[in-house]
Amino acid sequence: MEKIFKSRVALLYIMSISMVFSFSAWMSLLNNFVIEVASFDGSQIGILQSLREIPGFLAFTVVLVIIFVAQQRLAYISMMMLGVGVLLTGFYPTALGLYITTVIMSIGFHYLETLNQSLALQWLSKEKAPIILGKITAAKSFTSLVVFVLIYIMMKFYSVEYKYVYAFFGGVTLIVGIIAWIAFDHFKDDVVQEKKIKLKKEYWLFYVLTFFAGARRQIFMVFAGFLLVEKFGVDVHNMVALLFINSVLNMYFAPKIGRFIVKFGERNTLRFEYIGLMLVFVSYAFVENLYVAYFLFVIDHILFSMAIALKTYFQKIANPKDIASASAVSFTINHIAAVFLPALLGLVWLYSTSLVFIIGASVAFLSFSLSFLIPRHPEQGFETTLKPRA
């Protein structure tokens, strides 16, 4: 046990698992909770999701905070804030109450996610990063699986109210954050991180792909699940069962995706992801069969695991001292579209649900086109095919 608390990789696992434990519960219950308890419509869910993404847009402020608070300690604080936000969610089932608790939860989640990525890319070697990140993704999927099983049992067999389900999962993350702070060694930075906010022109392709990734991620996260509930009447138990299936499949595929990246490279992996997304989004636009919608939801979720390739592409082209600041900036870029897109598309949704997913397919096509600029073997100084290798 003592070795665990001296292991950087173990801490990465714990931060990732605790984050998923509460956030998966929050997200899996959200669509049913806001419709059944808070009586939300498409416009209100769009506003809530836009508010949820504002802290993601402000993720660049991590760079300012780590001037005063070490990255590792800030990660613990973020973990506890995430837990508190989720814990309180079910006790305030009004529009204003949900907006406030969502912002609290989101600040913790997005800071923790930013710091987790930053520390992982600093602590893991370039050779091992895809493999370990794949395994961490599988561990996150297993955690989600446990969450979905617990939710299903609590609500199906014991009829536990939403507010107590939220309180349980948020409380666990809060407690884990406190224990981690007390028990783990504080690890010194191998490379002193740049603590200035700046955009670097050599990372421009990574920034653009990150922006598009944020846009299409929002379309899936906000509207794919909402489609199932609103159009097909999927109840909370079937929604949780579907997410359970996603977790099982991701446990199997995520490590294989890590090995796929090592063998075929980031460029080919990302092309495969973007082609898959185009097909899925176009299918969402016209789906009329519930089981086809289920299938699309599962495939879409698996494709998310391929986002590891964008992280490892950045790790290969980045100056090691830029990782913390560039990770924070990239999270902000990822959330630029996320701040306005859910609310805007929420209005589009009221006019045409199909058009929302056609927009998603267009974003995936733009990403696919840009993926041809990724070198076969990216490295610092050879970030894109437009820049000749030195």
Side-chain angles (χ1 to χ4, degrees):
M1 181 63 72
E2 187 177 344
K3 288 184 179 180
I4 291 177
F5 296 123
K6 295 182 181 296
S7 169
R8 294 181 178 185
V9 174
L11 181 55
L12 291 175
Y13 272 98
I14 287 173
M15 287 193 297
S16 297
I17 289 170
S18 65
M19 176 175 64
V20 169
F21 190 79
S22 54
F23 184 72
S24 289
W26 185 89
M27 184 59 77
S28 65
L29 293 170
L30 181 66
N31 286 312
N32 293 90
F33 180 63
V34 299
I35 290 174
E36 295 171 16
V37 182
S39 302
F40 271 32
D41 59 22
S43 179
Q44 287 174 309
I45 189 67
I47 292 171
L48 183 143
Q49 293 288 6
S50 288
L51 286 172
R52 180 176 69 84
E53 296 299 352
I54 289 175
F57 176 72
L58 298 175
F60 68 88
T61 58
V62 167
V63 180
L64 304 178
V65 179
I66 63 175
I67 296 174
F68 308 101
V69 183
Q71 290 184 80
Q72 189 176 335
R73 188 166 292 116
L74 183 58
Y76 299 145
I77 294 170
S78 302
M79 196 186 307
M80 290 185 279
M81 196 166 185
L82 166 61
V84 169
V86 174
L87 187 154
L88 295 175
T89 296
F91 293 96
Y92 300 95
T94 63
L96 180 60
L98 282 169
Y99 293 160
I100 292 172
T101 56
T102 294
V103 169
I104 294 170
M105 178 280 300
S106 184
I107 292 172
F109 174 81
H110 285 103
Y111 262 46
L112 181 57
E113 180 75 0
T114 301
L115 292 161
N116 200 14
Q117 175 177 309
S118 172
L119 292 172
L121 297 183
Q122 290 173 60
W123 290 348
L124 303 176
S125 69
K126 294 178 182 178
E127 295 74 24
K128 293 182 178 179
I131 303 296
I132 295 178
L133 289 175
K135 290 180 178 179
I136 289 176
T137 300
K140 289 163 70 174
S141 295
F142 178 74
T143 303
S144 295
L145 187 153
V146 172
V147 169
F148 303 145
V149 169
L150 289 174
I151 290 175
Y152 190 87
I153 292 172
M154 292 168 77
M155 302 192 77
K156 180 72 172 179
F157 298 107
Y158 296 98
S159 300
V160 180
E161 294 181 47
Y162 279 104
K163 61 184 177 182
Y164 297 120
V165 177
Y166 275 122
F168 170 74
F169 288 98
V172 169
T173 294
L174 172 61
I175 292 169
V176 170
I178 295 170
I179 293 172
W181 187 323
I182 295 170
F184 269 93
D185 286 357
H186 182 78
F187 305 111
K188 294 183 179 179
D189 294 335
D190 295 328
V191 177
V192 177
Q193 294 296 297
E194 182 69 62
K195 295 182 175 66
K196 295 179 181 179
I197 300 169
K198 63 174 78 172
L199 291 171
K200 292 201 168 183
K201 61 181 181 181
E202 55 265 39
Y203 305 150
W204 75 266
L205 180 57
F206 169 69
Y207 293 147
V208 174
L209 289 173
T210 298
F211 172 78
F212 285 140
R216 60 92 174 164
R217 180 175 59 89
Q218 284 308 303
I219 294 171
F220 168 71
M221 291 187 67
V222 178
F223 296 104
F226 201 72
L227 177 78
L228 291 174
V229 176
E230 185 178 75
K231 183 173 182 176
F232 295 102
V234 177
D235 63 21
V236 66
H237 306 110
N238 286 324
M239 200 68 202
V240 171
L242 184 61
L243 293 169
F244 178 91
I245 293 169
N246 280 344
S247 296
V248 172
L249 292 175
N250 265 341
M251 284 173 56
Y252 175 78
F253 283 110
K256 293 183 181 298
I257 288 170
R259 290 191 287 271
F260 185 92
I261 295 169
V262 171
K263 185 173 182 179
F264 296 102
E266 286 78 9
R267 181 174 66 175
N268 290 329
T269 304
L270 290 171
R271 285 179 186 175
F272 186 87
E273 177 191 3
Y274 300 144
I275 291 172
L277 287 169
M278 283 187 280
L279 295 173
V280 166
F281 279 129
V282 169
S283 300
Y284 267 133
F286 304 105
V287 65
E288 293 295 337
N289 182 280
L290 173 60
Y291 296 102
V292 173
Y294 281 157
F295 175 76
L296 294 173
F297 192 86
V298 170
I299 295 299
D300 205 345
H301 202 82
I302 291 173
L303 290 171
F304 267 125
S305 298
M306 293 189 168
I308 295 170
L310 192 56
K311 296 179 182 179
T312 57
Y313 163 64
F314 169 65
Q315 185 189 36
K316 289 179 178 178
I317 65 173
N319 186 320
K321 71 177 183 179
D322 292 337
I323 287 177
S325 62
S327 292
V329 169
S330 73
F331 260 82
T332 291
I333 291 171
N334 184 273
H335 289 80
I336 290 174
V339 170
F340 69 86
L341 202 60
L344 177 62
L345 293 183
L347 297 175
V348 174
W349 183 270
L350 299 177
Y351 168 73
S352 170
T353 58
S354 296
L355 184 56
V356 170
F357 295 112
I358 293 298
I359 292 170
S362 301
V363 171
F365 175 75
L366 290 172
S367 300
F368 175 72
S369 301
L370 287 169
S371 69
F372 286 86
L373 298 179
I374 299 175
R376 186 180 297 275
H377 301 290
E379 60 185 46
Q380 189 178 346
F382 186 47
E383 297 87 7
T384 74
T385 55
L386 298 177
K387 186 175 181 180
R389 189 187 295 271

